[in-house]
Amino acid sequence: MTALSRSLFAAFCLFMVSSLSNCSADGHVRGWQPLDLLPYGVSVSVLAPPDAEVKVGSLKSALVSDLTIKGGSDYSIQLFYGPAITNDIAHLKNEHMENVRDNRYFKKIVKEEVAGFIYQSMIDSTATYGFRFVKLQGDQELNFQTGLGALFSLEDVQLMYEAVK
C-alpha cells in the first residue's frame, strides 16, 4: 500500500467514524424516522421526529390539498400536492424561487439544487431560513416547504430539506 493509499484510507476511516458518531441509534442525528403519508392520501414518506403529528389542511379542492407535519419547535413541514401540470422539475423549482425572491424579507439563496433550494430571510435583524422542494410522484406534484409561524435555524432547515428528498 502506497503512502497516498494509506492516507486516503485513513481519511475515509475518519470520515466514517465521524459520520457514525453523529447518528443516533435510529440512524438519524435527531432520531427522525420514516413517516408514511399514504394514510393521508399522499404516496410518499418523509423523515420526521417520532412524536410528529400530521394535520390535514383546509385546502381541499380539485387542484390543491395540503398537510402539515409538526414535531417539536425545530420541525414543521408543509406539503401542498395536486395534479402535476408539467414534468419539468427545474421549471417548477424556478417558479417557487421567483415567489420566494418576491418576498420583502428575502435575503439570499443559501443552497440550490435541480428540485429545490434553501434560502435566508431577514426579519428586522433576525436571520431565519426556509426551503422549497418539488417532487413528482406518479401524476402528482408534491411541493414541500418549511411550516409557517416559526423561525428556523439553518441547521434545522438543512435537516428538514434532506428529510423530504
Side-chain angles (χ1 to χ4, degrees):
M1 189 180 263
T2 68
L4 178 61
S5 296
R6 282 192 298 270
S7 295
L8 289 173
F9 180 73
F12 175 75
C13 289
L14 285 172
F15 171 76
M16 291 306 294
V17 168
S18 172
S19 295
L20 292 174
S21 66
N22 285 334
C23 291
S24 71
D26 295 327
H28 187 273
V29 293
R30 294 191 180 167
W32 295 355
Q33 301 167 348
L35 175 63
D36 184 10
L37 299 178
L38 189 56
Y40 304 95
V42 187
S43 180
V44 71
S45 291
V46 299
L47 289 178
D51 63 343
E53 294 181 8
V54 179
K55 293 188 179 169
V56 176
S58 58
L59 290 177
K60 288 289 183 190
S61 74
L63 297 178
V64 179
S65 299
D66 69 307
L67 298 174
T68 301
I69 310 156
K70 287 190 178 187
S73 63
D74 59 356
Y75 186 98
S76 180
I77 294 175
Q78 197 160 15
L79 167 59
F80 296 95
Y81 59 97
I85 297 171
T86 179
N87 63 355
D88 186 349
I89 293 230
H91 175 74
L92 294 168
K93 184 260 314 192
N94 287 335
E95 285 182 346
H96 286 287
M97 193 176 288
E98 284 179 36
N99 288 336
V100 166
R101 281 189 168 133
D102 286 344
N103 186 300
R104 69 181 177 149
Y105 297 112
F106 171 78
K107 182 72 173 170
K108 65 181 178 178
I109 298 296
V110 175
K111 176 181 182 175
E112 181 179 356
E113 296 179 328
V114 173
F117 59 95
I118 295 174
Y119 63 93
Q120 179 188 44
S121 297
M122 290 294 288
I123 301 172
D124 295 325
S125 60
T126 304
T128 185
Y129 297 85
F131 78 88
R132 299 286 190 277
F133 189 80
V134 180
K135 266 188 189 179
L136 293 176
Q137 190 80 14
D139 63 350
Q140 293 286 302
E141 178 183 322
L142 312 176
N143 295 291
F144 295 91
Q145 68 179 48
T146 40
L148 303 174
L151 303 178
F152 295 106
S153 71
L154 179 57
E155 179 186 7
D156 294 339
V157 169
Q158 288 170 329
L159 289 169
M160 287 187 282
Y161 181 81
E162 291 300 322
V164 302
K165 286 173 85 174

